[in-house]
Amino acid sequence: FQAKKLAAMGSLIAGVAHELNNPLIGIYMSADLARLGLLRMQEGLAGQEATQAAAPGKLGEDLNLVLAEIGRVLGATGQATALVRELL
């Protein structure tokens, strides 16, 4: 009886882990693609500012804030993925 209970719990946990892992992968990949795109924008902005000899503007500051938030999303997603791995 105990072995059946443990087997059923293992199956349940594996199913939940699988269902959690799929959206986590999607969130991580989307956030990482956004991060890469923003880094390219930031590089272009820095090059543009260098040629115009202008100080970093509001757009640069906003990019930094968004990149920091994306970093938090990536970190939280990584923590959740590690938790799913521990469940398995």
Side-chain angles (χ1 to χ4, degrees):
F1 178 74
Q2 188 69 14
K4 285 184 181 183
K5 269 182 29 178
L6 288 175
M9 190 170 16
S11 293
L12 176 66
I13 291 171
V16 169
H18 177 73
E19 292 299 319
L20 286 173
N21 213 31
N22 286 337
L24 287 172
I25 289 169
I27 293 167
Y28 186 90
M29 290 176 64
S30 295
D32 198 38
L33 285 172
R35 182 186 64 84
L36 291 173
L38 289 172
L39 287 173
R40 285 192 202 117
M41 285 176 61
Q42 195 175 43
E43 288 171 3
L45 182 63
Q48 187 180 36
E49 288 173 349
T51 60
Q52 296 174 359
K58 177 91 170 98
L59 181 58
E61 293 171 16
D62 290 345
L63 281 173
N64 288 335
L65 290 173
V66 173
L67 283 167
E69 289 302 315
I70 289 175
R72 287 185 191 91
V73 169
L74 291 171
T77 306
Q79 289 176 332
T81 301
L83 179 62
V84 168
R85 246 184 263 125
E86 286 181 32
L87 282 174
L88 289 174

